[in-house]
Amino acid sequence: MSKDTSAASKSSPKKKPISRRALVTGGALGAATLAAGCDCADKCGVVAGPAVIRQRRELKMVTTWPKNFPGLGDAAEATARNITAMSDGALSVTVFAANELVGAFDAFDAVSGGAADLYHGAEYYWVGKSKAYPFFTSVPFGMTAQEIMGWCLFGGGQELWDELAAKFNIKPFMAGNTGHQMGGWFKKEINTLEDLRGLKIRMPGLGGEVMRRLGAAAVALPGGEIYQALQSGAIDATEWVGPWNDLAFGFYQEADYYYWPGFHEPGAQLAVGVNLDLWGELSASERAIVRAACHTANNDSIAKFQHFNGSALKTLVEERDVKLRRMPQEIIDALAEASLEVYQEIALEDDISARVYRSFSESLAQSMQWSEISDEAYFAARRSAFAL
């Protein structure tokens, strides 16, 4: 929950604290006082504006990301800065990286229970809470960054996401997207389905479940634990994000082969989850600030990954001697078949999972029809043009 740092909470025991309701209704600060230009904002711990008087709040954001991590951690920090700046400090957000306040995978429960106010992470980490959660990050052969934004904002996705998260006392927002992710780093070449059997790979979400269907031993590890696991041999392969983040983690030092395309996360959406009790206490303008801050971070994130992935890929190939490999079609086909099986099982899990899957599928089918004559056709035309 939020921490009230108003002077009212620090007043002498002999004085009755001023309630927020009294402030808002003018019981403590009348309209005439405001009109006269009362300068008690610093003394009273409230922000007086023409339309609303807010208590100052110091909010804790916990994340699933390592400290000072480019891209993913940037999105969390940007969201916090946006909220703080847009509210003129009335909502002051402090970011705690994974393991600073709670463990990476404990962020959800911390916000749900009120030990923290917000989290920034990837919703597929919460698949143990509901099989529907991965659809709000990324699923195998699913939506691109643009497509998942379209579904959430205009295709009914946000309403379903709200309904799902409310069961856990959370209000969710999109707040970042990595764009298309790579297939991962492998210590050995992958040529046939047999090469996947027994392979120890870090891959969370439904992608990990699909890999298990093909005989791999997929595990979910927080980002800060991946390199050590790869170095020690605890895992034989790992996916993480894309060239920008992968270069920063130095995976090329432990695995020579870098595979594409990434079937599992074609547009991984990041999220902010706000404690629902806190959300209910915020004014309309404060809620608008949180929404705008998250949307801004989301857009900036997409642009950052698009730009820096290109330059990082060039560095990996030309300066780090990384071996780029395309995943064999036989494996792609098997992954697609297993993915459809997983989806069908999720649709039978419960009512909310069935409705999320149905809505997601309908929006994806619509986007695919448009993409075929827009993005796909243009990319083919552009390749031809530069080949001339």
Side-chain angles (χ1 to χ4, degrees), residues 182-201:
M182 288 288 284
W185 296 86
F186 294 75
K187 293 185 176 182
K188 297 180 179 180
E189 282 193 86
I190 303 298
N191 297 309
T192 68
L193 284 170
E194 188 61 33
D195 293 327
L196 293 182
R197 302 192 192 285
L199 182 81
K200 295 173 292 185
I201 182 170

Side-chain angles (χ1 to χ4, degrees), residues 47-380:
V47 178
V52 66
I53 305 169
R54 298 186 299 265
Q55 294 178 326
R56 292 189 182 276
R57 298 176 185 270
E58 293 182 1
L59 306 179
K60 298 189 290 277
M61 174 189 282
V62 292
T63 80
T64 60
W65 320 121
K67 190 174 182 61
N68 299 322
F69 189 63
L72 304 175
D74 285 351
E77 293 283 355
T79 306
R81 285 196 306 271
N82 290 342
I83 293 172
T84 302
M86 290 178 182
S87 67
D88 286 331
L91 302 177
S92 180
V93 183
T94 300
V95 177
F96 295 89
N99 300 315
E100 285 189 330
L101 193 61
V102 298
F105 292 163
D106 297 320
F108 184 95
D109 287 339
V111 173
S112 176
D117 302 293
L118 312 89
Y119 68 71
H120 191 282
E123 298 291 83
Y124 62 17
Y125 288 151
W126 325 134
V127 66
K129 305 292 185 182
S130 170
K131 294 295 179 65
Y133 260 117
F135 288 98
F136 299 102
T137 298
S138 193
V139 297
F141 301 97
M143 293 182 174
T144 64
Q146 288 174 277
E147 289 169 339
I148 197 169
M149 285 177 66
W151 175 52
C152 285
L153 291 176
F154 302 106
Q158 184 68 55
E159 291 79 5
L160 288 165
W161 195 6
D162 286 342
E163 180 183 345
L164 172 63
K167 298 176 184 290
F168 304 98
N169 199 37
I170 288 172
K171 167 65 178 174
F173 296 96
M174 61 178 73
N177 198 304
T178 69
H180 192 92
Q181 295 196 6
M182 288 288 284
W185 296 86
F186 294 75
K187 293 185 176 182
K188 297 180 179 180
E189 282 193 86
I190 303 298
N191 297 309
T192 68
L193 284 170
E194 188 61 33
D195 293 327
L196 293 182
R197 302 192 192 285
L199 182 81
K200 295 173 292 185
I201 182 170
R202 184 270 181 188
M203 184 175 286
L206 297 188
E209 177 58 28
V210 169
M211 291 293 282
R212 284 189 284 272
R213 300 288 174 103
L214 299 187
V219 298
L221 292 173
E225 299 178 16
I226 299 175
Y227 185 89
Q228 184 178 1
L230 195 63
Q231 184 181 51
S232 69
I235 55 176
D236 308 308
T238 184
E239 64 78 41
W240 179 223
V241 184
W244 182 28
N245 284 173
D246 293 0
L247 174 62
F249 265 30
F251 294 138
Y252 62 88
Q253 299 175 82
E254 304 298 333
D256 292 332
Y257 300 97
Y258 200 24
Y259 275 86
W260 62 278
F263 80 97
H264 60 305
E265 295 185 43
Q269 181 169 271
L270 312 178
V272 158
V274 182
N275 176 275
L276 196 56
D277 294 327
L278 168 64
W279 182 251
E281 295 174 3
L282 299 181
S283 68
S285 61
E286 289 170 330
R287 291 183 179 189
I289 285 169
V290 173
R291 287 193 187 94
C294 290
H295 285 188
T296 299
N298 192 69
N299 293 340
D300 288 353
S301 173
I302 293 172
K304 270 190 171 182
F305 275 100
Q306 180 66 31
H307 176 77
F308 289 110
N309 273 337
S311 59
L313 181 62
K314 179 179 172 66
T315 298
L316 286 169
V317 174
E318 297 182 3
E319 299 179 23
R320 303 293 188 267
D321 298 322
V322 168
K323 300 176 178 65
L324 277 178
R325 294 288 187 272
R326 189 184 192 285
M327 193 68 73
Q329 192 61 44
E330 173 194 15
I331 295 179
I332 292 291
D333 292 343
L335 290 168
E337 184 177 351
S339 296
L340 292 176
E341 292 177 359
V342 171
Y343 295 155
Q344 290 166 359
E345 292 175 10
I346 290 174
L348 299 174
E349 186 74 18
D350 53 33
D351 176 66
I352 185 66
S353 297
R355 287 187 288 118
V356 167
Y357 173 62
R358 183 166 58 251
S359 175
F360 182 94
S361 298
E362 291 172 355
S363 183
L364 177 59
Q366 182 173 283
S367 291
M368 287 174 62
Q369 184 177 20
W370 164 237
S371 295
E372 184 176 352
I373 63 171
S374 58
D375 291 348
E376 292 179 33
Y378 171 70
F379 290 153

